[in-house]
Structures are given as structure tokens and as C-alpha cells.
Amino acid sequence: MKAYAAAVATVLFGASAISAFVAPTASSNGITTRSTSSIINTQYSSALGMAEDDKVFDQEAYIAESKEMRLKYLEEQAMFSLKIACENYGNAVFPNAMIAGDVVITHLLHRMGYLKDGKAKVMVVDTFHLFPETMEFLREIEEFYGFKAEVFCAEGVPVGDKAAYDAKYGANLWKEDIEQYDKVCKVEPFQRGLKTCNTDCMINGRTRWQGFERAWIDQFENAPIGGGLAKCNPIAYWTLEDTFDYIAKYEVPHHPLHAKGYPSIGDAKDTIPIPEDGSTKFVNFKFEGDKTPWLDYASERKGRFVGLANKDGSTKTECGIHVAGAEQTFDRDLWEEGAVKNIASTDEAKEIIGSGKEAIVAVYAPWCQFCQGMEDEFSKYAESAGVPVYKFRGDEERDFVQASLNTESFPTVNFIKADGSVVKYDSEARSADDFANFEKSFEKSTA
């Protein structure tokens, strides 16, 4: 029977896991010193004892016990990785989106005492487009577990101030440029949060079950952020069913929208129930309706990013935080040195427009990838320009730049004529020569 138990273990967990993994001893955080094979030897007997006792094989009991064996192993494995993340590194940080996997990690960190002793910090990114229930749920779990999350949002905007966000970045930024929205509202605050928390190990809830983009992740990776840091994926090998089994087993506080048909929760603007009629729900720690639309492979996030597409036309499946190149975010202004002069206020901009002198003014936003893309060429142009060259940060003065500097999007380059009229450079070509030719076109018109 022991040989049979070992065979079952190999099927469930893989040969390498059976031979290599033994959970560490740490009684204070709930981790026990038991190998997977010992778990199996103590649990298979009730379902598999029919050969000795002439009992009929109890399939349902076997399945239930097998699931319990699997979950117990996954718990120990996840806690082992969290122990490494929190004790081998100095500043483990958990960016918590409060989806199903994240509430499991929150509970595990609580069980191990890492929320209480501060060995794991929790941060949250508020995009200003979340469901109202999400931030309310954050306050509930903060009180329940006794921790305080650090909340980060778009740069230059007070936490929780949606009106300030709208004034600075525009309420429809996500409609105008979804990639810039991701950078402004998700990627940059996320990166800034990690830097602010001085993290050296980031804990997150990605799993292989979530789809092909994540199908090969392991429990530990290197993240290309701030020169590199460790990334711990404690539930990398869990299915979504495992996640909800854990939530049910321990009655873990979870997002209220699971009870309204949402398997995963992101921005309210592009997240829908699955199925759309909301017939599948997780209520009182049990599924209602057909659970397969949630639990099938790569189905957890089917209700996310609905109606959104990347600029290349492909279907959007990632918010940008975990994709290659996400570390290339803005943490500085543009044209901080060189020949491009700064316009510090709207009053100064009005003075330049009304000065009777010609000038070039670039209206920009430092978070805009197109402004970033033209930085070097515009600097090169400014060094040999025949008129003064200025920059004016328009995302902080949207009403003014729309009314006075022809600006509907960034960047917008204008030629200020001596009579005070403002002429927009109406081209996507942004080399130094292109800007120089734009300037020279006014010499011809006045000749």
C-alpha cells in the first residue's frame, strides 16, 4: 500500500516534488515538519482500504481526500516560499489587489505572523477606476487582520482625490490611450510604491493557471525593477479551484463581488461577471450555479480588460505591471537640462505669447510616451534653434493649454508668432530637422 501511496503522490504532485520537498519546521507560523509522502500515508487509508476489508471503493471519499491532500501540500509549499521571502530578505512587500489569490496570500501571511510583525508590508494601487467595493473591502481586511496598507495612485495626485486626477490627467485618459492609462494609473504607482517601501522581494498572486502568459512562472523569479529584485509567487502552482477551496476551508474574507458573479476584480470600467448573466457565484463559501466557467484553465481573468485592445490590435490580457519593459516608467521631468527653457506658470506663458517675440513652445506631460520619445530630438533642435525654445507642462493646466496652446493631446508643439498668434505643429514627425523646418516655414511666410 505504501508503494501505491507513493504512486498517487507522484501523479498529484510530480516525482521531483515528492523526493525533494519537505516543509520547514516553524511552529510559531503554522508550518509543520512533514513530507508529502507522510501526509499520504496517513490519509489514503479510508478510501483505499477495500482490498483488505472487502469494502467497495468509495470514489467520492477518495476524491475529497485527494483534494485535501493536495491543498495541504500547496499550503505548506506556499508558506515555505513566504518564509523565504519574509525572513531571507529585509523588505518583503505584497502589492494586494484583493482578488481571490491575493486574499489567500493575505491569510497565509496573517497565519505566519508576518502582517503583525511587519516582515511583510502591504501596498495597494488605487487606479481611481476601481469598484467602490474594492477600497471598502480593503478597510475591512485591514481591521480584520490588523495591518495598514500603503496606498499609491497616479503621480502628483492626493490619495483618494478623483477630482484631482481628472483635472491633471483627464477623466477619459483610458479611452484616449489605454497604454498611457496603464502607465499612469497602474505601472508608475506600482513601481513608485515598491521603491517607497524599499522592497527587495515582491510577493504577488500570479499563477500558472491564469493563462499562457503566466504558464511557466515559478515560485521565485527576478523582476526587472530598480536594478532587479526578487519576485515571490507563493501560489504559482495553484489552480483557481485550489484558491476557492482554501477560502472555503478557512472562511477567508474575500471580495464581495465574488457573490455577484465576478471571478476576478479589476477596474469597474472593463470588468464583467462570468458568465455575463452572473449565474455563477461564490456565496457563503460555496459555489452557486455552474462553477466551470470560473474554474476552467485561463478563465479566471476572462471578465477582465473587456473591450480593450493593445495598440497593435491584439486583445488586452495584462495591465502592464508584469510585462517586459514595465520598469521603464517615469520618475523625473523631461528636458531637465539643456537649451529647452521651462515655463513655470500660466502667467509666464501668457507673457511669452504676448511678448511680441517669436518662440517655440512644447506642451507636454512627463508620463506621455510620445513626449519621452521626442525628448532627445527636441533637445537637439533647441541647441541650434533660431528662436527661444520652451517647455510647458500641460497635464497640470489642461483648461489653459486647451484654450491658449491648441492642446488636445501630448505632445503639442506651437510656434508663437510676433503678433501673439499660436500655430500648431500638425505632424507626427518629430526629429530635430522636422522641428527646424517647422520654424523655417515662418521665415518664408514673413519674407
Side-chain angles (χ1 to χ4, degrees):
M1 296 299 288
K2 290 183 178 180
Y4 184 84
V8 172
T10 302
V11 171
L12 287 173
F13 307 117
S16 61
I18 297 307
S19 62
F21 181 80
V22 178
T25 300
S27 57
S28 63
N29 58 25
I31 304 178
T32 57
T33 312
R34 293 196 300 165
S35 68
T36 301
S37 58
S38 69
I39 295 171
I40 292 167
N41 286 335
T42 60
Q43 292 200 352
Y44 74 89
S45 56
S46 63
L48 300 179
M50 70 280 190
E52 299 168 355
D53 302 328
D54 294 326
K55 292 181 179 179
V56 176
F57 172 58
D58 189 337
Q59 179 173 299
E60 294 302 319
Y62 172 79
I63 292 173
E65 289 187 11
S66 296
K67 288 185 68 175
E68 177 60 24
M69 289 157 51
R70 172 182 170 81
L71 188 59
K72 192 179 294 288
Y73 171 78
L74 290 172
E75 286 179 44
E76 292 182 347
Q77 186 187 55
M79 294 170 83
F80 190 22
S81 68
L82 289 172
K83 179 180 176 67
I84 294 171
C86 294
E87 297 189 11
N88 287 30
Y89 294 89
N91 290 295
V93 175
F94 174 35
N96 194 338
M98 292 162 282
I99 56 178
D102 286 1
V103 301
V104 166
I105 295 172
T106 305
H107 188 263
L108 290 169
L109 290 169
H110 169 71
R111 285 174 61 187
M112 301 176 75
Y114 294 142
L115 294 179
K116 184 176 181 179
D117 65 17
K119 287 187 177 179
K121 301 175 185 176
V122 178
M123 61 168 272
V124 171
V125 173
D126 182 1
T127 67
F128 293 114
H129 293 77
L130 300 173
F131 287 92
E133 292 91 340
T134 298
M135 297 307 286
E136 293 171 5
F137 178 57
L138 172 61
R139 290 187 285 272
E140 291 175 12
I141 61 174
E142 284 178 329
E143 182 176 354
F144 185 86
Y145 292 118
F147 72 92
K148 186 66 177 176
E150 293 196 49
V151 180
F152 296 88
C153 60
E155 187 270 335
V157 177
V159 172
D161 194 340
K162 178 63 161 59
Y165 166 82
D166 290 347
K168 183 169 184 175
Y169 295 102
N172 293 322
L173 176 61
W174 70 273
K175 296 179 181 178
E176 298 165 357
D177 191 329
I178 189 60
E179 291 182 8
Q180 286 306 302
Y181 168 78
D182 284 347
K183 181 176 275 191
V184 168
C185 294
K186 299 180 182 180
V187 179
E188 191 280 331
F190 182 87
Q191 305 286 5
R192 177 162 33 90
L194 294 177
K195 291 177 183 178
T196 300
C197 295
N198 296 314
T199 184
D200 53 7
C201 184
M202 176 178 65
I203 300 167
N204 77 98
R206 294 181 307 148
T207 75
R208 292 183 172 192
W209 193 257
Q210 288 167 339
F212 69 91
E213 304 94 339
R214 302 177 176 186
W216 300 103
I217 63 171
D218 287 308
Q219 282 197 306
F220 279 91
E221 304 172 283
N222 290 324
I225 301 168
L229 55 80
K231 183 186 289 187
C232 175
N233 309 310
I235 61 171
Y237 312 134
W238 294 41
T239 68
L240 187 60
E241 184 174 18
D242 295 325
T243 301
F244 279 104
D245 284 346
Y246 182 95
I247 291 171
K249 177 180 177 180
Y250 292 101
E251 296 191 353
V252 175
H254 52 282
H255 201 294
L257 289 184
H258 290 313
K260 296 183 179 180
Y262 293 82
S264 184
I265 299 95
D267 282 351
K269 60 183 174 53
D270 52 53
T271 305
I272 63 172
I274 296 295
E276 291 188 44
D277 62 5
S279 57
T280 301
K281 304 174 184 178
F282 189 72
V283 182
N284 295 326
F285 305 104
K286 295 180 180 179
F287 276 102
E288 294 183 359
D290 180 8
K291 62 184 179 181
T292 55
W294 285 25
L295 302 183
D296 279 345
Y297 179 73
S299 293
E300 177 180 354
R301 299 188 302 153
K302 278 186 177 178
R304 299 279 298 277
F305 314 114
V306 175
L308 302 181
N310 297 309
K311 285 194 171 181
D312 62 5
S314 61
T315 300
K316 190 168 184 61
T317 60
E318 291 278 1
C319 68
I321 287 175
H322 300 290
V323 300
E327 73 280 6
Q328 298 173 1
T329 59
F330 67 94
D331 55 6
R332 64 177 179 82
D333 198 7
L334 303 182
W335 300 293
E336 293 179 304
E337 299 176 350
V340 180
K341 303 174 184 178
N342 185 49
I343 300 176
S345 66
T346 56
D347 286 341
E348 187 177 341
K350 291 176 183 176
E351 289 179 8
I352 291 171
I353 294 171
S355 67
K357 299 178 181 179
E358 295 179 337
I360 288 281
V361 177
V363 184
Y364 75 102
W367 45 265
C368 170
Q369 63 178 332
F370 303 108
C371 298
Q372 295 168 8
M374 78 173 212
E375 184 178 20
D376 290 343
E377 289 296 311
F378 196 68
S379 294
K380 182 179 177 182
Y381 157 68
E383 291 173 359
S384 58
V387 298
V389 178
Y390 297 94
K391 66 172 184 175
F392 183 71
R393 183 164 178 174
D395 60 325
E396 296 180 336
E397 298 289 349
R398 285 179 178 267
D399 290 342
F400 174 78
V401 298
Q402 287 174 358
S404 303
L405 289 168
N406 299 318
T407 303
E408 295 296 333
S409 62
F410 304 114
T412 295
V413 177
N414 291 293
F415 187 89
I416 311 299
K417 299 175 72 172
D419 62 7
S421 58
V422 180
V423 182
K424 180 179 179 180
Y425 174 61
D426 197 12
S427 172
E428 298 296 318
R430 299 188 181 110
S431 70
D433 288 341
D434 293 321
F435 294 129
N437 290 333
F438 177 56
E439 176 195 331
K440 290 176 182 177
S441 69
F442 292 96
E443 295 176 3
K444 295 177 182 179
S445 65
T446 57

